[in-house]
Amino acid sequence: MSRFRLLWVALLGLGLVRCTVPSLEDLWREKGFCAVGDEDCGMLRIRVDAQGFVPGCLRITARDGDRDAVLSMSIPYRGTERAGRTLTQGFSPPKDWGLGVTVTVDGFEQGCDGAAVANQQLGFVLREGDISDLAFLLRATDADGDGFVSAATHGSDCDDANPAINPAATELCNFQDDNCNGVRDEGIPVGETCIASNGCTGSNTCGENGAVVCFAGPIVQYAWADEDQDGYGDTSRGQVPVCTTELPSNRLPLSAPHNDCDDSRASVHPGLPELCNRMDDNCSGDTDEGFNVGTVCADSQTQCVGLFECDPSGNRTYCKPNSAPPTWYPDDDLDSYGAPDGGIASCARPDEGFVPQSGDCDDGNPFIHVSAPELCDEQDNNCDSLVDENGVCVGGVPSWDTRVPAGDGISLHAASVYGDGGVWVVGEDSTRMVKTPGSKVFSVLPGACTDGASPQSLLSVWAHPQTGVAFIGRDQGKLIVQTPESANCTPRTLLSSSSATVMGLQGVLADGGVDIHGVVTDTAKGNGGTFLWNGGLTTISIKTINTTQFRGVYGISPQVMFAVGGSVSSSIYRYDPDLGFWRADGTAPSGASLNAVHVVNPKLAYAVGTRGTLLRWNGAWSPVSGFNSPDANLTGVLAFGTHSIYVTSDDGCIYRYDGASWRVVRCAASVYGIAGNRPDDIWAVGRFGQVTHYPGWPQ
């Protein structure tokens, strides 16, 4: 006995004296079944052998003889190192079991599921402190050794003499049930029509080694294949065999044409007209010849560059743009925001009247569009459905506030705005007054604008938009230059006719200076005329126009400038900057003389006159529909767009159009002039020295 063993026995004896140590049997009974392969464990050594087959799995079940307690374990067998040997499995009944147990061993074909193909049950009474053996022998038949037990011994192998036949086998074409599912040759097209290797039609049958073969009769003749039956044989397949004396409908005699390049389409064969469909319709070897498919083009509607593509009809091409075109929106008021409707998809801008963004809820007023600043003008300027919000009306509700800065004994004839809030006003008795930007009151300048004793009438004024210098026209053929600081009515410039009255002035900034276009009426000579003044003192020559007495001039550039007048009928002239003279506009309607004109933008202008005449120019002059005051003598017009127009009259009324309707906004003393560069800064002047401002007097 080794020293280690002696030491262990001594320690065990000492332990028995001092305390109780669990026995090995107690430890076994805590486990029940021992670990698989541990043959030195357990009170009962269960030994299992198999005869006639090799189980895929073994299941051992132990039951307490005194009650229904059960323990079970499954042990893989075939394919492990235990296969072919006696399997020994240790077991001890738990401490709460009796010593009488019943053991059942089940053997399975494959895994431990389904039904067992063999089993045996034995009972045994164990003895404490003893180790017993219990032998089992499972019998089943696997004669062909394919791992599946014969159906005759409760297995699933339907032919235990052939290892190629079992439930795991692949079904072959051999007229037998290879996979033991009760059906022969399932999923195999036996008997179906087929084409044999010689090209003849036959039927499928089973050949050697389970292969499917097509059996057909002998070749009788050769022909051309014509599967689309268009009368042209398939050039790619060559001569094909036919197994009948009579040719089928999809075969042609060898004398027939056989140059069909697509035998799947009857619409494709030599001699047909070529279509635009990405196919070689006439078998010429080319596709869509004559249609220029893929070449660069410009779409006629969108002006976008693209490539020619086939039209769905196949008879023509169309230009497919390379990218989606942007949308352009009509912008009649030229505020760079287009109306939400009427958009045109185009790569090129349709014309100058279109812009790439919409957002204009009123395309007749340039002061109304999305993101526009809100003004005090009784309009929704920023298209948010609110009017005059955010406290823009400093003086309260908008009104036409009238005051008399220079006394009520004179008539005021003209006004001209400049800068941000500046305005000049001129009239009878040499009246010149100015409100500078930021000021709330007018300054009346001193001095009589005459060489004699009688003050003269000042009938026209144009203020430099940046400097505020005023260029003034008067009767008796003179021009005057004034600043807000002028202490007298000089300097003065003479016209070539001392009887000419300057009825209108319009300046244009040019080369660091100004070009001022003027119009006159010469009652002494019974005619009118025009002149061009640079603001200097040199005598200005008048270009006489015998048939017209002018009353007004207005323009935004030399290219868009009109002069109006007439004694008994309307007369309109337009300046030609290339030739340097005024040309009569033949589109002016007759019937009334004209008093004033206002140019809104390069595409829009308005003119007014006697008999309630209101004309609009958008390339040609025509009456404005909707305005109805046939007896009024209209004296002035101011417009910001087709939906924002102001007209003054000799009877003292001011008419306003907001895009929806005309209405009278003020009626008092006669109004002779109106000016403004935005809807919330409008000045009107007239009889009795009255000066009116909208939307209220400057605060």
Side-chain angles (χ1 to χ4, degrees):
M1 182 180 294
S2 66
R3 286 180 295 172
F4 177 79
R5 186 173 180 85
L6 289 173
L7 178 61
W8 182 84
V9 171
L11 291 173
L12 178 61
L14 181 59
L16 291 173
V17 173
R18 303 187 62 178
C19 62
T20 301
V21 177
S23 67
L24 191 58
E25 183 176 299
D26 290 335
L27 296 175
W28 288 341
R29 296 193 69 172
E30 290 179 356
K31 295 181 180 179
F33 281 105
C34 298
V36 177
D38 186 357
E39 296 186 359
D40 295 327
C41 172
M43 296 172 63
L44 180 63
R45 308 293 168 87
I46 302 168
R47 303 188 186 278
V48 183
D49 287 293
Q51 186 179 60
F53 79 115
V54 178
C57 178
L58 295 171
R59 183 168 62 211
I60 303 174
T61 303
R63 288 179 171 82
D64 186 355
D66 296 332
R67 54 196 186 97
D68 293 333
V70 177
L71 289 177
S72 180
M73 72 177 302
S74 297
I75 305 172
Y77 187 76
R78 187 174 60 244
T80 70
E81 62 181 9
R82 297 179 289 276
R85 297 188 302 158
T86 300
L87 182 138
T88 301
Q89 177 60 47
F91 172 77
S92 299
K95 292 181 180 181
D96 58 350
W97 283 28
L99 294 178
V101 296
T102 299
V103 179
T104 302
V105 179
D106 294 304
F108 298 85
E109 281 184 312
Q110 303 296 315
C112 286
D113 52 4
V117 297
N119 61 48
Q120 187 178 5
Q121 181 175 290
L122 297 174
F124 196 84
V125 178
L126 299 170
R127 295 185 299 271
E128 291 184 358
D130 195 6
I131 298 175
S132 304
D133 292 326
L134 189 61
F136 289 81
L137 178 61
L138 303 181
R139 291 183 177 88
T141 301
D142 179 15
D144 55 13
D146 59 4
F148 291 88
V149 173
S150 169
T153 57
H154 311 294
S156 60
D157 196 337
C158 56
D159 187 350
D160 201 33
N162 188 344
I165 297 176
N166 57 64
T170 301
E171 191 71 14
L172 302 176
C173 185
N174 54 12
F175 303 106
Q176 61 185 17
D177 181 12
D178 299 284
N179 56 11
C180 295
N181 67 348
V183 183
R184 295 188 304 170
D185 300 336
E186 71 270 16
I188 297 174
V190 175
E192 293 184 5
T193 300
C194 59
I195 302 297
S197 59
N198 63 3
C200 294
T201 301
S203 60
N204 287 323
T205 187
C206 295
E208 295 181 358
N209 300 321
V212 179
V213 296
C214 184
F215 179 78
I219 298 173
V220 174
Q221 59 178 316
Y222 285 89
W224 302 115
D226 183 20
E227 302 298 347
D228 57 10
Q229 300 183 41
D230 60 1
Y232 289 81
D234 188 348
T235 185
S236 64
R237 292 178 61 181
Q239 298 179 10
V240 295
V242 178
C243 303
T244 59
T245 56
E246 184 177 347
L247 291 177
S249 60
N250 62 346
R251 297 293 181 264
L252 296 175
L254 295 180
S255 59
H258 51 280
N259 51 356
D260 196 341
C261 57
D262 187 348
D263 200 33
S264 65
R265 301 174 185 266
S267 60
V268 175
H269 61 73
L272 288 177
E274 185 71 8
L275 300 178
C276 190
N277 55 9
R278 298 191 178 277
M279 293 193 301
D280 181 11
D281 303 282
N282 56 12
C283 295
S284 66
D286 294 324
T287 300
D288 301 335
E289 62 265 24
F291 286 98
N292 298 321
V293 174
T295 59
V296 178
C297 58
D299 181 58
S300 59
Q301 290 185 337
T302 65
Q303 304 302 310
C304 296
V305 175
L307 300 175
F308 278 116
E309 293 281 350
C310 292
D311 184 84
S313 68
N315 297 317
R316 64 183 67 89
T317 58
Y318 72 98
C319 189
K320 181 180 180 180
N322 294 330
S323 59
T327 300
W328 298 86
Y329 301 91
D331 179 23
D332 287 342
D333 57 14
L334 303 185
D335 60 2
S336 298
Y337 289 84
D341 53 358
I344 297 176
S346 174
C347 286
R349 187 175 183 176
D351 60 44
E352 293 183 356
F354 285 80
V355 293
Q357 62 182 347
S358 61
D360 201 335
C361 57
D362 186 345
D363 201 32
N365 187 335
F367 291 90
I368 296 178
H369 57 76
V370 169
S371 76
E374 190 68 17
L375 305 178
C376 182
D377 61 353
E378 303 171 81
Q379 300 281 297
D380 175 18
N381 300 97
N382 56 11
C383 298
D384 64 354
S385 300
L386 301 176
V387 175
D388 297 342
E389 71 268 24
N390 300 326
V392 294
C393 292
V394 178
V397 178
S399 65
W400 294 81
D401 194 340
T402 300
R403 309 212 178 167
V404 186
D408 59 4
I410 58 174
S411 290
L412 301 176
H413 292 294
S416 180
V417 296
Y418 73 93
D420 185 11
V423 59
W424 279 90
V425 177
V426 299
E428 292 180 344
D429 295 339
S430 301
T431 300
R432 302 155 349 267
M433 55 183 175
V434 59
K435 186 191 81 67
T436 57
S439 175
K440 302 176 183 178
V441 297
F442 279 88
S443 297
V444 180
L445 301 187
C449 301
T450 179
D451 296 329
S454 300
Q456 302 300 306
S457 292
L458 310 180
L459 300 174
S460 57
V461 60
W462 176 77
H464 193 293
Q466 298 169 354
T467 65
V469 173
F471 300 86
I472 302 171
R474 51 157 277 191
D475 57 0
Q476 296 183 357
K478 289 187 176 60
L479 299 166
I480 305 166
V481 179
Q482 296 280 274
T483 70
E485 296 78 24
S486 292
N488 54 57
C489 198
T490 59
R492 301 174 195 158
T493 299
L494 300 179
L495 296 176
S496 58
S497 172
S498 61
S499 58
T501 299
V502 181
M503 303 298 294
L505 293 173
Q506 177 62 53
V508 177
L509 304 184
D511 298 328
V514 292
D515 287 336
I516 305 172
H517 296 264
V519 294
V520 302
T521 290
D522 196 328
T523 55
K525 297 180 180 179
N527 58 28
T530 65
F531 63 86
L532 185 62
W533 176 35
N534 64 6
L537 298 176
T538 303
T539 299
I540 304 301
S541 176
I542 297 174
K543 293 183 179 179
T544 301
I545 298 179
N546 291 323
T547 58
T548 299
Q549 293 183 355
F550 289 107
R551 292 187 177 86
V553 61
Y554 199 96
I556 58 174
S557 68
Q559 289 74 25
V560 189
M561 185 170 297
F562 294 95
V564 299
S567 55
V568 296
S569 183
S570 59
S571 181
I572 302 177
Y573 280 73
R574 182 173 181 178
Y575 186 66
D576 187 334
D578 294 330
L579 299 178
F581 73 91
W582 292 81
R583 188 189 306 274
D585 191 321
T587 66
S590 60
S593 58
L594 300 177
N595 295 321
V597 62
H598 183 84
V599 178
V600 182
N601 57 52
K603 301 192 302 181
L604 183 66
Y606 290 91
V608 295
T610 60
R611 302 179 186 177
T613 299
L614 173 59
L615 305 178
R616 178 172 63 194
W617 173 83
N618 55 3
W621 290 94
S622 61
V624 174
S625 61
F627 182 79
N628 186 21
S629 293
D631 299 327
N633 179 26
L634 304 181
T635 56
V637 59
L638 171 67
F640 301 109
T642 56
H643 292 172
S644 182
I645 310 169
Y646 302 82
V647 175
T648 62
S649 67
D650 195 20
D651 59 9
C653 292
I654 300 177
Y655 304 86
R656 177 179 180 177
Y657 181 66
D658 60 5
S661 61
W662 285 95
R663 60 190 175 98
V664 176
V665 295
R666 181 263 196 192
C667 258
S670 298
V671 181
Y672 300 137
I674 187 170
N677 54 20
R678 46 189 285 165
D680 62 345
D681 187 23
I682 299 175
W683 295 93
V685 298
R687 197 175 181 188
F688 304 129
Q690 292 187 355
V691 177
T692 301
H693 185 257
Y694 177 85
W697 204 259
Q699 299 296 309

